[in-house]
């Protein structure tokens, strides 16, 4: 009697559902992620093994590199109030739209008379604008005023003392950093953070 051959069914897996899930996940990540805006002043920070996270609020960051100083501030309301105080100090007018745009900007490094031009630029163009840095001369020390008014604004809005972090380029010469530290100490700010990169364990 001849054997009956049973046909082997190779089987098939319906991949439709898996593809749908993959595309849903991809769509979710694309729509919820934000593109990183290039920094206006790129610095190569020195490395250390200390891992302390900077606070997400009540913080001003001073970026120092190539002889320039840039200023950044956390919190939209604090930024807007700081700009209002600086506007009163230097008699420079900013519209409500300017204030709103400024509250969403990252760091900047221009004299206040040129700030409006930077505010009106697209985010991607600000990094290409060749900003000269915030003046810190003895005759025109605008950085000192930015820090002072940011502290007032933070106390008004958040009822907390503003913390300061210095993000300096590893190749920046000491006198440039010393000048920044002197400005802070003039305002009795003797405690501040130094932003560094993370050194590997095998260093």
């Amino acid at each position: 009697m001849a054997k009956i051959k049973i046909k082997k069914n190779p089987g098939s897996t319906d991949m439709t559902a898996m593809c749908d899930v993959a595309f849903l996940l991809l769509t979710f990540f694309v729509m919820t992620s934000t593109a990183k805006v290039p920094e206006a002043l790129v610095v190569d920070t020195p490395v250390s093994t200390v891992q302390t996270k900077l606070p997400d609020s009540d913080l001003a960051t001073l970026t120092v590199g190539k002889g320039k100083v840039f200023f950044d501030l956390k919190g939209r309301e604090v930024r807007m109030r700081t700009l209002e105080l600086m506007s009163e100090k230097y008699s420079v007018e900013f519209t409500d739209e300017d204030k709103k745009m400024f509250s969403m900007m990252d760091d900047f490094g221009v004299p206040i008379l040129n700030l409006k031009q930077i505010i009106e630029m697209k985010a991607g163009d600000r990094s290409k604008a060749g900003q000269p840095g915030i003046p810190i001369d003895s005759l025109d020390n605008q950085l000192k005023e930015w820090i002072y008014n940011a502290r007032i604004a933070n106390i008004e809005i958040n009822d907390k003392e503003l913390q300061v972090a210095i993000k300096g380029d590893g190749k920046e010469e000491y006198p440039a950093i010393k000048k920044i530290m002197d400005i802070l100490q003039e305002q009795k700010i003797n405690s501040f953070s130094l932003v560094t990169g993370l050194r590997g364990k095998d260093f």
Side-chain angles (χ1 to χ4, degrees):
M1 184 175 170
K3 288 184 179 178
I4 300 172
K5 289 186 178 178
I6 301 173
K7 287 185 179 178
K8 291 182 180 177
N9 186 357
S12 65
T13 306
D14 187 4
M15 300 292 287
T16 307
M18 193 175 288
C19 288
D20 286 346
V21 170
F23 279 108
L24 274 173
L25 285 172
L26 181 64
T27 305
F28 171 78
F29 287 120
V30 168
M31 294 184 76
T32 56
S33 61
T34 54
K36 187 179 180 212
V37 177
E39 294 177 0
L41 179 64
V42 179
V43 295
D44 186 15
T45 56
V47 294
S48 75
T49 55
V50 178
Q51 295 185 48
T52 304
K53 192 177 176 214
L54 289 172
D56 294 328
S57 60
D58 312 312
L59 178 72
T61 304
L62 310 176
T63 305
V64 188
K66 301 173 187 171
K68 303 175 185 177
V69 183
F70 281 50
F71 185 72
D72 194 14
L73 195 56
K74 297 284 185 188
R76 290 185 175 183
E77 290 182 31
V78 177
R79 290 180 70 103
M80 287 176 74
R81 181 61 185 143
T82 304
L83 185 62
E84 287 171 359
L85 292 170
M86 287 296 288
S87 171
E88 291 167 12
K89 169 76 182 173
Y90 288 94
S91 303
V92 180
E93 292 290 327
F94 292 98
T95 63
D96 289 342
E97 185 63 24
D98 291 337
K99 293 173 191 171
K100 186 180 173 187
M101 290 299 294
F102 179 75
S103 72
M104 295 185 286
M105 276 175 46
D106 288 320
D107 57 349
F108 63 93
V110 290
I112 192 163
L113 290 174
N114 304 112
L115 185 57
K116 199 174 177 71
Q117 296 167 355
I118 296 296
I119 291 172
E120 290 170 353
M121 287 181 179
K122 291 181 181 175
D125 294 335
R126 289 186 193 120
S127 60
K128 302 171 190 169
Q131 300 180 47
I134 297 174
I136 53 173
D137 303 335
S138 56
L139 296 176
D140 185 18
N141 197 335
Q142 291 185 18
L143 180 64
K144 175 182 157 188
E145 298 298 331
W146 276 109
I147 295 169
Y148 178 74
N149 286 310
R151 293 176 69 195
I152 292 174
N154 201 65
I155 288 172
E156 285 180 8
I157 305 285
N158 296 330
D159 196 24
K160 288 181 181 175
E161 185 62 47
L162 186 71
Q163 297 182 54
V164 178
I166 299 175
K167 184 179 177 183
D169 193 289
K171 295 176 183 171
E172 193 67 29
E173 294 185 3
Y174 177 71
I177 303 293
K178 173 81 167 51
K179 200 179 280 188
I180 304 300
M181 292 166 68
D182 288 344
I183 291 170
L184 296 177
Q185 289 183 329
E186 279 177 26
Q187 299 186 38
K188 311 286 184 202
I189 303 173
N190 297 312
S191 176
F192 45 85
S193 303
L194 294 173
V195 179
T196 59
L198 184 61
R199 177 183 289 173
K201 292 178 182 177
D202 300 329
F203 184 80

